[in-house]
Amino acid sequence: ETGVTQTPRHLVMGMTNKKSLKCEQHLGHNAMYWYKQSAKKPLELMFVYNFKEQTENNSVPSRFSPECPNSSHLFLHLHTLQPEDSALYLCASSLMTDSYEQYFGPGTRLTVT
Amino acid sequence: GENVEQHPSTLSVQEGDSAVIKCTYSDSASNYFPWYKQELGKRPQLIIDIRSNVGEKKDQRIAVTLNKTAKHFSLHITETQPEDSAVYFCAASTYGGSQGNLIFGKGTKLSVKP
């Protein structure tokens, strides 16, 4: 399954570190999403981008900063995270934001120490 | 905004039995209802979806029903097999709206015992 890829697959970072998660889709889609998956909230939408423009910020703390340079790439910049931010971060894409099937990437397992 | 409730949170069945997972939604404008399956350690994948202009949709052993009046929809899996064991998520969104974002339920962990 190579439609949506994410790197790195695993990341351990300290609370003072700065790191970035990368997502790339090869499906010709126009919408991309970041989700946080944890035991508490299994699929929590964070950000939505449609044609490179952010259309949704689901009250995400500013220590998470998304970037969408084009419709194929999505980044999530992380800085001064908290241990409770440890989770699986899933990227997804769809043709449009308008109720089309979302294709998920494999996720990045993030551990904040 | 939309709120999706999903029940049960865990479900254990014997191989060959049927499994039913139920979801309710709050926004009467929602008209698209997909179901995703997430196997252990893997990404969520769409298994079936239904739009509000139909009441039922089938795909082999999987079926989804929708009751717009009651604002609930259900996933039915017949003749369950061990490979059906996974977490299943329902979702709702508004097709044609300015914000067609999927709102997911909290998931149901299905275990099929051989």
Side-chain angles (χ1 to χ4, degrees):
Chain A
E1 299 180 51
T2 59
V4 181
T5 58
Q6 289 185 243
T7 55
R9 296 293 306 275
H10 300 272
L11 179 62
V12 179
M13 59 186 289
M15 289 190 285
T16 58
N17 291 159
K18 288 185 180 181
K19 295 286 184 183
S20 295
L21 310 185
K22 179 183 177 182
C23 176
E24 185 173 359
Q25 58 94 3
H26 309 272
L27 301 169
H29 289 167
N30 300 300
M32 297 189 77
Y33 311 78
W34 278 117
Y35 288 91
K36 177 183 178 182
Q37 187 169 47
S38 62
K40 236 179 183 181
K41 294 187 179 181
L43 269 174
E44 185 181 6
L45 180 67
M46 300 175 72
F47 301 103
V48 180
Y49 278 82
N50 192 34
F51 290 96
K52 302 188 300 177
E53 298 298 321
Q54 187 181 120
T55 59
E56 179 84 18
N57 177 337
N58 196 23
S59 303
V60 181
S62 59
R63 56 185 184 270
F64 296 90
S65 176
E67 179 189 0
C68 188
N70 55 62
S71 292
S72 299
H73 294 85
L74 185 65
F75 295 89
L76 188 62
H77 304 300
L78 316 171
H79 63 98
T80 59
L81 294 192
Q82 305 297 313
E84 59 263 30
D85 296 323
S86 299
L88 180 69
Y89 288 84
L90 289 162
C91 172
S93 72
S94 64
L95 184 60
M96 304 282 282
T97 57
D98 203 353
S99 302
Y100 286 84
E101 176 179 358
Q102 291 188 16
Y103 292 78
F104 285 84
T108 294
R109 175 66 63 183
L110 173 67
T111 302
V112 181
T113 61
Chain B
E2 176 65 278
N3 183 49
V4 176
E5 298 285 339
Q6 183 171 349
H7 300 280
S9 56
T10 60
L11 179 60
S12 182
V13 300
Q14 285 295 131
E15 183 177 359
D17 288 350
S18 295
V20 180
I21 302 170
K22 299 182 179 181
C23 288
T24 60
Y25 60 98
S26 60
D27 189 350
S28 57
S30 290
N31 54 15
Y32 174 64
F33 308 93
W35 287 87
Y36 283 77
K37 174 184 180 182
Q38 187 175 25
E39 296 177 35
L40 187 63
K42 296 192 175 181
R43 69 192 76 189
Q45 290 190 297
L46 180 74
I47 54 171
I48 194 167
D49 57 13
I50 190 168
R51 297 188 189 273
S52 60
N53 57 343
V54 297
E56 184 176 4
K57 184 176 179 180
K58 285 184 180 179
D59 183 3
Q60 299 181 3
R61 297 186 297 107
I62 294 173
V64 57
T65 59
L66 172 64
N67 183 325
K68 287 175 57 181
T69 304
K71 289 191 281 190
H72 66 69
F73 56 111
S74 301
L75 178 71
H76 304 253
I77 306 175
T78 59
E79 299 172 27
T80 54
Q81 301 167 5
E83 51 265 37
D84 293 329
S85 297
V87 178
Y88 291 81
F89 294 96
C90 64
S93 77
T94 307
Y95 180 78
S98 59
Q99 289 187 342
N101 303 329
L102 289 177
I103 305 301
F104 285 89
K106 291 191 174 182
T108 297
K109 184 177 181 180
L110 173 65
S111 301
V112 180
K113 298 180 180 179

